[in-house]
Amino acid sequence: MTKDRMVELLQDHFELNLYEARAYVALVAFGVLTPAELASVSEVPAPRTYDVLRSLEKKGFAISQPGKVNKYRPVHPTNILEKFIDEWQERIKEELEAKRKAKEELLELMTPLIETEIPKYGVERVWVVRGIRNSTLKTREMLEEVEKEILLADDGFIAINLEEELVKAIEKGISMKLVVTKPILQRISMGKLMDLYKKGKIELKVVEKMELPMMICDEQVFFALEDLAARYFNYETQVWIKDHRIVELFKGKFNEYWENGEKV
């Protein structure tokens, strides 16, 4: 209904609650109303009409006409809605400026922490990451930091969901070897990674199955622990390790996939 849509728009975009929106629509429709009349022509409960009308007046949507019984009339929609937008724009400008100043102050305060000689991850070289969202954040971070080489053995997540990030890394000059299972090859066959392969910018092979999917970026490796139930609920446990000795072990497994893989 038109009335319901008006109420919905006032709630969603002009910071009126349900009763305030209903009251304002009624005022616009009838022109002037007392609290008792408002209760009879709208869905605002009688005990709430006084508070609702006073709130509308405070917000600039209504004007009271004092008398033996207070009456209220609406501020014309064109005037109040435009005024609301103007005030909202000004408020947003002030909030944006406050956030920019806070950013500059935080960067200044954090500079000593950023520039410290302590390694970025402290003494921790192993992280456990759970859930698809956290896994995505971690793999994106690795792809942003990689400087030389990406080795990706993928059976269903990274090549599809992080294609843009992989492409950006490759376009920066990072070398990449990609091993995928046949179902994944079909899904990426029309994508940007396949275009890069055809242009000779990445190396690509396909295998029948993969027991240990992994991504190696320089001296970091990221892999999933086998847990079919967790995979079903998108809550797999992933492990990130930054240690050149562990990475060498995983490279051995990756090279095994590579040697046994077929060219596309």
Side-chain angles (χ1 to χ4, degrees), residues 45-263:
R48 296 292 310 278
T49 53
Y50 289 92
D51 291 340
V52 169
L53 287 167
R54 280 195 292 267
S55 179
L56 280 178
E57 183 180 18
K58 185 177 180 180
K59 292 182 177 181
F61 283 79
I63 298 174
S64 64
Q65 297 179 200
K68 188 174 181 181
V69 177
N70 277 8
K71 296 182 178 181
Y72 292 82
R73 66 179 178 84
V75 173
H76 195 283
T78 300
N79 296 333
I80 184 57
L81 298 181
E82 191 61 39
K83 182 174 182 289
F84 178 94
I85 290 172
D86 289 342
E87 291 177 350
W88 180 82
Q89 286 179 320
E90 193 59 36
R91 189 167 74 244
I92 291 299
K93 288 179 183 177
E94 292 173 358
E95 290 177 2
L96 282 172
E97 185 59 29
K99 284 177 170 47
R100 289 192 182 100
K101 289 181 178 178
K103 181 199 76 172
E104 295 302 324
E105 185 176 354
L106 278 169
L107 289 176
E108 183 179 349
L109 293 171
M110 289 180 173
T111 296
L113 302 179
I114 297 169
E115 295 179 350
T116 181
E117 294 182 1
I118 298 175
K120 184 175 181 182
Y121 298 103
V123 296
E124 291 185 318
R125 295 293 179 178
V126 179
W127 280 19
V128 175
V129 182
R130 293 185 176 88
I132 190 72
R133 180 177 178 276
N134 292 329
S135 298
T136 300
L137 291 173
K138 190 59 188 172
T139 47
R140 278 180 177 153
E141 183 181 275
M142 291 174 66
L143 292 172
E144 288 172 0
E145 294 177 353
V146 65
E147 296 179 354
K148 298 177 182 178
E149 178 184 55
I150 299 171
L151 304 177
L152 176 58
D154 190 15
D155 71 345
F157 172 72
I158 295 176
I160 296 170
N161 294 283
L162 293 176
E163 182 185 61
E164 291 294 332
E165 288 80 358
L166 289 166
V167 169
K168 285 180 182 178
I170 294 160
E171 289 177 344
K172 290 191 301 183
I174 306 300
S175 69
M176 178 175 171
K177 285 185 176 180
L178 174 61
V179 180
V180 296
T181 55
K182 289 185 176 179
I184 302 308
L185 180 64
Q186 292 177 349
R187 295 184 64 181
I188 68 171
S189 60
M190 301 300 292
K192 295 179 180 179
L193 289 175
M194 185 60 70
D195 290 340
L196 291 175
Y197 168 67
K198 291 175 180 177
K199 293 176 182 177
K201 293 189 176 182
I202 68 172
E203 298 180 72
L204 172 64
K205 287 189 176 182
V206 61
V207 294
E208 288 289 339
K209 62 179 182 177
M210 191 178 294
E211 301 85 3
L212 184 59
M214 70 184 79
M215 183 171 77
I216 299 170
C217 293
D218 298 335
E219 293 188 357
Q220 303 179 56
V221 61
F222 196 64
F223 63 96
L225 300 181
E226 183 67 20
D227 188 335
L228 295 179
R231 172 172 285 199
Y232 181 80
F233 288 101
N234 291 323
Y235 201 68
E236 283 184 293
T237 298
Q238 320 274 343
V239 180
W240 170 86
I241 300 175
K242 187 175 183 180
D243 186 295
H244 68 91
R245 298 165 301 175
I246 302 299
V247 168
E248 287 303 315
L249 293 175
F250 276 84
K251 280 185 178 179
K253 185 63 179 178
F254 179 88
N255 289 334
E256 182 182 319
Y257 290 145
W258 189 257
E259 293 301 322
N260 295 328
E262 299 176 3
K263 291 185 177 180

